[in-house]
Amino acid sequence: MMRFLKQPVVVTAEVNLIMVALTVAGLVSRLWGLTHPRAVVFDEVYYGQFISLYLKQIFFLDDSGPPLGHMLLALGGYLGGFDGNFLWNRIGAEYNSNVPVYFLRLLPAVSGALCVPLVYQIVLELRFSHSAALGAAVLILFENSLITQSRLMLLESILIFFSLLAVLSYMKFHNTQKTSSFSVAYWFWLMLTGLASACAVGVKYMGLFTYLLLLAIAGVHTWHLIGNKALSNMAVLCHVLARGLALLVTPVLMYLGFFYIHLALLYRSGPHDQIMSSAFQASLEGGLARITQGQPLEVVYGSQITMRSVLSQPVPCWLHSHKSTYPVRYE
C-alpha cells in the first residue's frame, strides 16, 4: 500500500482535436442566436400544440407518429419552466415572454450539432482517411437545410441524430467483435445500437428504414458467423442470442415503453377522447368519468348506460338524429 502511494498517479488520454473542433463548430452554428426569429415558424405551430398538451397533462393521440419526439420537445419546455399556456393557432405568431423559446429549440439544435462528429466517426469506421472523414463532416456542418431544421422546434434533427448514432454504434460493434467478442465494448455498442434504433423509430416512423437496414446487415453478418467453422456451435448460438436480445427484444420493449410513459403522463380528458373506448375515456380525469364515476363495470340494476352508433365513421358518435359528435367535455 505504501509503495503504491509513493508512485505518481498518471492518467493519459488521446483527444482527437479535429472531432472536438467539428463538435464546437456544430454547436456554434446551431446555437448562435437560437431564439431568432421569436415567432412560430412552420411546423412549430403543430408540435407546439402537443407540447402544451403534455405540460398540461391532457390526453391526445397523434396518429402521424410515435410519442417520443413530442415528449423530448416537451422536456425542453418543462426544463425551461413553460406551463403550456400559449395559443398555437397560426404560423408567424409572436412568442410572448411566457414561452422559453431557447429551451424549446435547444434539444433539436444540440442533436443537429452532434450529427457533425457522428458523420466524422462513421466515415472513419468505414476505414476511409481522416481527410475524407473531415470532408464529409464539413459538408454536414455547412448544409443549409440541416442548419435550418436544427434551429427550429422540429423533429428532423433528432431523428437524424438517433439514426446516425444507431449506424455508428453497429459499425463500432462489428469492428469490436473481430478482436474482442463479448467484451464490455462489445455489449456496449451492441446495446447502444438497439437503444438508438428504438429511439429513431420512436421519434418518427421514418426511423424504421434505418432500423430495417441495420437488421438486414446484422442478418448477413450473422449468416457469415454461422458458416465460420472456427467458431463452436455454442459460440455461434451466443452471438445469435446476443443480437436477438439487443436488436429485437430491446427495441420492441423500448417502443412499448414510450407509449406507456405517454399514457402515464396524460391523465386528463383531452381533444382525442372520442377515438378511444368508453372504458378508456372513463379513466381520464374530467371527461366521461364525470358521468360514470361510481358506476360498476358490469351492467346491473340501476346502472347508467351510454349507447353509441358504430355506423358513423371515423369517430363513433352518440345516438341521435345526425352524425355530429357531442362536445369533448361531457357536462
Side-chain angles (χ1 to χ4, degrees):
M1 183 67 179
M2 296 300 296
R3 184 179 303 176
F4 170 76
L5 295 176
K6 293 179 181 180
Q7 299 296 325
V9 179
V10 180
V11 177
T12 60
E14 294 183 0
V15 179
N16 189 333
L17 295 181
I18 294 179
M19 192 170 71
V20 172
L22 288 172
T23 304
V24 172
L27 290 171
V28 171
S29 64
R30 271 67 175 177
L31 294 178
W32 186 274
L34 189 60
T35 58
H36 178 78
R38 194 175 176 83
V40 179
V41 181
F42 192 49
D43 273 358
E44 286 187 338
V45 70
Y46 174 72
Y47 295 116
Q49 297 175 29
F50 297 141
I51 292 175
S52 292
L53 291 173
Y54 267 119
L55 295 177
K56 294 178 179 180
Q57 296 184 294
I58 296 176
F59 174 76
F60 73 92
L61 194 62
D62 180 19
D63 56 0
S64 65
L68 177 61
H70 303 144
M71 288 192 291
L72 292 176
L73 294 179
L75 176 62
Y78 175 79
L79 295 177
F82 185 39
D83 57 7
N85 291 321
F86 182 77
L87 185 59
W88 308 87
N89 59 347
R90 64 181 180 87
I91 296 175
E94 293 286 337
Y95 288 122
N96 56 39
S97 59
N98 179 54
V99 182
V101 182
Y102 185 86
F103 283 93
L104 289 174
R105 294 175 176 172
L106 180 61
L107 184 59
V110 173
S111 299
L114 294 180
C115 289
V116 179
L118 285 178
V119 169
Y120 176 79
Q121 283 291 316
I122 287 174
V123 177
L124 288 181
E125 289 297 320
L126 289 172
R127 299 295 186 260
F128 287 100
S129 65
H130 284 273
S131 299
L134 177 61
V138 169
L139 291 176
I140 299 299
L141 174 62
F142 293 108
E143 169 55 44
N144 187 53
S145 61
L146 294 179
I147 295 176
T148 303
Q149 286 180 344
S150 301
R151 293 174 56 83
L152 299 175
M153 191 173 56
L154 306 175
L155 297 181
E156 280 71 20
S157 61
I158 303 177
L159 169 64
I160 295 173
F161 166 75
F162 282 123
S163 298
L164 291 177
L165 180 61
V167 172
L168 175 62
S169 299
Y170 185 81
M171 295 176 65
K172 290 273 191 182
F173 155 74
H174 180 65
N175 293 330
T176 299
Q177 73 161 356
K178 296 178 182 178
T179 56
S180 55
S181 295
F182 303 108
S183 62
V184 175
Y186 171 100
W187 282 107
F188 174 79
W189 292 115
L190 181 58
M191 293 302 296
L192 186 57
T193 302
L195 296 178
S197 298
C199 290
V201 178
V203 171
K204 274 192 171 185
Y205 285 129
M206 292 290 292
L208 185 62
F209 293 102
T210 301
Y211 179 50
L212 293 177
L213 172 64
L214 293 177
L215 285 182
I217 296 174
V220 173
H221 290 164
T222 304
W223 181 257
H224 291 164
L225 285 176
I226 294 175
N228 188 351
K229 294 184 178 180
L231 296 176
S232 65
N233 292 337
M234 182 57 66
V236 172
L237 178 61
C238 290
H239 278 289
V240 173
L241 292 177
R243 286 163 172 76
L245 173 65
L247 302 181
L248 292 176
V249 177
T250 301
V252 170
L253 292 178
M254 285 192 62
Y255 181 78
L256 296 176
F258 298 150
F259 282 92
Y260 177 84
I261 297 173
H262 173 82
L263 295 175
L265 291 174
L266 309 180
Y267 64 88
R268 294 191 174 101
S269 176
H272 295 161
D273 290 9
Q274 298 179 47
I275 65 176
M276 307 301 289
S277 66
S278 297
F280 182 85
Q281 294 180 48
S283 68
L284 298 175
E285 178 182 301
L288 193 59
R290 294 181 179 181
I291 300 176
T292 61
Q293 186 175 11
Q295 296 286 328
L297 293 178
E298 301 294 335
V299 177
V300 297
Y301 179 77
S303 295
Q304 177 177 324
I305 65 171
T306 56
M307 303 178 66
R308 295 195 303 179
S309 170
V310 296
L311 299 179
S312 55
Q313 298 295 332
V315 179
C317 62
W318 304 111
L319 293 176
H320 59 313
S321 58
H322 52 82
K323 293 187 177 182
S324 298
T325 57
Y326 273 44
V328 173
R329 300 286 179 176
Y330 303 100
E331 299 293 350

PDB file of all heavy atoms in Angstrom, residues 1-12:
ATOM      1  N   MET A   1       0.836  -1.199   0.000  1.00  0.00           N
ATOM      2  CA  MET A   1       0.000   0.000   0.000  1.00  0.00           C
ATOM      3  C   MET A   1       0.872   1.251   0.000  1.00  0.00           C
ATOM      4  O   MET A   1       0.652   2.188  -0.760  1.00  0.00           O
ATOM      5  CB  MET A   1      -0.925  -0.005   1.220  1.00  0.00           C
ATOM      6  CG  MET A   1      -1.887   1.182   1.247  1.00  0.00           C
ATOM      7  SD  MET A   1      -3.089   1.088  -0.119  1.00  0.00           S
ATOM      8  CE  MET A   1      -4.041   2.573   0.221  1.00  0.00           C
ATOM      9  N   MET A   2       1.909   1.281   0.834  1.00  0.00           N
ATOM     10  CA  MET A   2       2.802   2.426   0.904  1.00  0.00           C
ATOM     11  C   MET A   2       3.574   2.595  -0.389  1.00  0.00           C
ATOM     12  O   MET A   2       3.845   3.709  -0.829  1.00  0.00           O
ATOM     13  CB  MET A   2       3.763   2.259   2.093  1.00  0.00           C
ATOM     14  CG  MET A   2       3.072   2.255   3.445  1.00  0.00           C
ATOM     15  SD  MET A   2       2.171   3.806   3.748  1.00  0.00           S
ATOM     16  CE  MET A   2       3.538   4.954   3.774  1.00  0.00           C
ATOM     17  N   ARG A   3       3.942   1.465  -1.012  1.00  0.00           N
ATOM     18  CA  ARG A   3       4.658   1.536  -2.282  1.00  0.00           C
ATOM     19  C   ARG A   3       3.779   2.173  -3.342  1.00  0.00           C
ATOM     20  O   ARG A   3       4.251   2.941  -4.191  1.00  0.00           O
ATOM     21  CB  ARG A   3       5.082   0.132  -2.701  1.00  0.00           C
ATOM     22  CG  ARG A   3       5.913   0.091  -3.974  1.00  0.00           C
ATOM     23  CD  ARG A   3       6.309  -1.327  -4.320  1.00  0.00           C
ATOM     24  NE  ARG A   3       7.040  -1.946  -3.203  1.00  0.00           N
ATOM     25  CZ  ARG A   3       7.443  -3.221  -3.191  1.00  0.00           C
ATOM     26  NH1 ARG A   3       7.153  -4.016  -4.218  1.00  0.00           N
ATOM     27  NH2 ARG A   3       8.093  -3.698  -2.152  1.00  0.00           N
ATOM     28  N   PHE A   4       2.480   1.871  -3.290  1.00  0.00           N
ATOM     29  CA  PHE A   4       1.549   2.454  -4.251  1.00  0.00           C
ATOM     30  C   PHE A   4       1.441   3.964  -4.067  1.00  0.00           C
ATOM     31  O   PHE A   4       1.380   4.734  -5.030  1.00  0.00           O
ATOM     32  CB  PHE A   4       0.172   1.799  -4.106  1.00  0.00           C
ATOM     33  CG  PHE A   4      -0.913   2.483  -4.885  1.00  0.00           C
ATOM     34  CD1 PHE A   4      -1.016   2.319  -6.247  1.00  0.00           C
ATOM     35  CD2 PHE A   4      -1.820   3.318  -4.241  1.00  0.00           C
ATOM     36  CE1 PHE A   4      -2.013   2.942  -6.978  1.00  0.00           C
ATOM     37  CE2 PHE A   4      -2.811   3.962  -4.954  1.00  0.00           C
ATOM     38  CZ  PHE A   4      -2.910   3.772  -6.332  1.00  0.00           C
ATOM     39  N   LEU A   5       1.427   4.415  -2.802  1.00  0.00           N
ATOM     40  CA  LEU A   5       1.305   5.837  -2.531  1.00  0.00           C
ATOM     41  C   LEU A   5       2.540   6.613  -2.967  1.00  0.00           C
ATOM     42  O   LEU A   5       2.466   7.810  -3.244  1.00  0.00           O
ATOM     43  CB  LEU A   5       1.051   6.061  -1.038  1.00  0.00           C
ATOM     44  CG  LEU A   5      -0.275   5.528  -0.494  1.00  0.00           C
ATOM     45  CD1 LEU A   5      -0.368   5.732   1.014  1.00  0.00           C
ATOM     46  CD2 LEU A   5      -1.454   6.240  -1.179  1.00  0.00           C
ATOM     47  N   LYS A   6       3.688   5.944  -3.021  1.00  0.00           N
ATOM     48  CA  LYS A   6       4.915   6.622  -3.428  1.00  0.00           C
ATOM     49  C   LYS A   6       5.004   6.823  -4.931  1.00  0.00           C
ATOM     50  O   LYS A   6       5.833   7.609  -5.399  1.00  0.00           O
ATOM     51  CB  LYS A   6       6.128   5.815  -2.937  1.00  0.00           C
ATOM     52  CG  LYS A   6       6.272   5.786  -1.416  1.00  0.00           C
ATOM     53  CD  LYS A   6       7.469   4.954  -1.006  1.00  0.00           C
ATOM     54  CE  LYS A   6       7.603   4.914   0.518  1.00  0.00           C
ATOM     55  NZ  LYS A   6       8.770   4.093   0.941  1.00  0.00           N
ATOM     56  N   GLN A   7       4.189   6.112  -5.679  1.00  0.00           N
ATOM     57  CA  GLN A   7       4.217   6.223  -7.127  1.00  0.00           C
ATOM     58  C   GLN A   7       3.246   7.315  -7.596  1.00  0.00           C
ATOM     59  O   GLN A   7       2.172   7.477  -7.025  1.00  0.00           O
ATOM     60  CB  GLN A   7       3.820   4.884  -7.776  1.00  0.00           C
ATOM     61  CG  GLN A   7       4.741   3.733  -7.426  1.00  0.00           C
ATOM     62  CD  GLN A   7       6.145   3.954  -7.960  1.00  0.00           C
ATOM     63  OE1 GLN A   7       6.309   4.529  -9.036  1.00  0.00           O
ATOM     64  NE2 GLN A   7       7.145   3.495  -7.211  1.00  0.00           N
ATOM     65  N   PRO A   8       3.623   8.057  -8.608  1.00  0.00           N
ATOM     66  CA  PRO A   8       2.708   9.091  -9.121  1.00  0.00           C
ATOM     67  C   PRO A   8       1.506   8.458  -9.833  1.00  0.00           C
ATOM     68  O   PRO A   8       1.629   7.398 -10.451  1.00  0.00           O
ATOM     69  CB  PRO A   8       3.576   9.872 -10.106  1.00  0.00           C
ATOM     70  CG  PRO A   8       4.623   8.886 -10.549  1.00  0.00           C
ATOM     71  CD  PRO A   8       4.897   8.018  -9.354  1.00  0.00           C
ATOM     72  N   VAL A   9       0.364   9.100  -9.707  1.00  0.00           N
ATOM     73  CA  VAL A   9      -0.854   8.646 -10.394  1.00  0.00           C
ATOM     74  C   VAL A   9      -0.934   9.379 -11.723  1.00  0.00           C
ATOM     75  O   VAL A   9      -1.092  10.606 -11.766  1.00  0.00           O
ATOM     76  CB  VAL A   9      -2.110   8.916  -9.548  1.00  0.00           C
ATOM     77  CG1 VAL A   9      -3.357   8.466 -10.307  1.00  0.00           C
ATOM     78  CG2 VAL A   9      -2.003   8.207  -8.205  1.00  0.00           C
ATOM     79  N   VAL A  10      -0.822   8.653 -12.806  1.00  0.00           N
ATOM     80  CA  VAL A  10      -0.751   9.248 -14.144  1.00  0.00           C
ATOM     81  C   VAL A  10      -1.959   8.796 -14.953  1.00  0.00           C
ATOM     82  O   VAL A  10      -2.286   7.596 -14.978  1.00  0.00           O
ATOM     83  CB  VAL A  10       0.547   8.848 -14.875  1.00  0.00           C
ATOM     84  CG1 VAL A  10       0.586   9.475 -16.266  1.00  0.00           C
ATOM     85  CG2 VAL A  10       1.753   9.286 -14.054  1.00  0.00           C
ATOM     86  N   VAL A  11      -2.632   9.728 -15.560  1.00  0.00           N
ATOM     87  CA  VAL A  11      -3.764   9.445 -16.436  1.00  0.00           C
ATOM     88  C   VAL A  11      -3.433   9.967 -17.829  1.00  0.00           C
ATOM     89  O   VAL A  11      -3.090  11.147 -17.987  1.00  0.00           O
ATOM     90  CB  VAL A  11      -5.065  10.098 -15.928  1.00  0.00           C
ATOM     91  CG1 VAL A  11      -6.211   9.829 -16.907  1.00  0.00           C
ATOM     92  CG2 VAL A  11      -5.411   9.577 -14.543  1.00  0.00           C
ATOM     93  N   THR A  12      -3.493   9.107 -18.813  1.00  0.00           N
ATOM     94  CA  THR A  12      -3.231   9.506 -20.196  1.00  0.00           C
ATOM     95  C   THR A  12      -4.504   9.382 -21.014  1.00  0.00           C
ATOM     96  O   THR A  12      -5.322   8.488 -20.787  1.00  0.00           O
ATOM     97  CB  THR A  12      -2.134   8.632 -20.830  1.00  0.00           C
ATOM     98  OG1 THR A  12      -2.561   7.258 -20.804  1.00  0.00           O
ATOM     99  CG2 THR A  12      -0.830   8.770 -20.056  1.00  0.00           C
TER     100      THR A  12
END
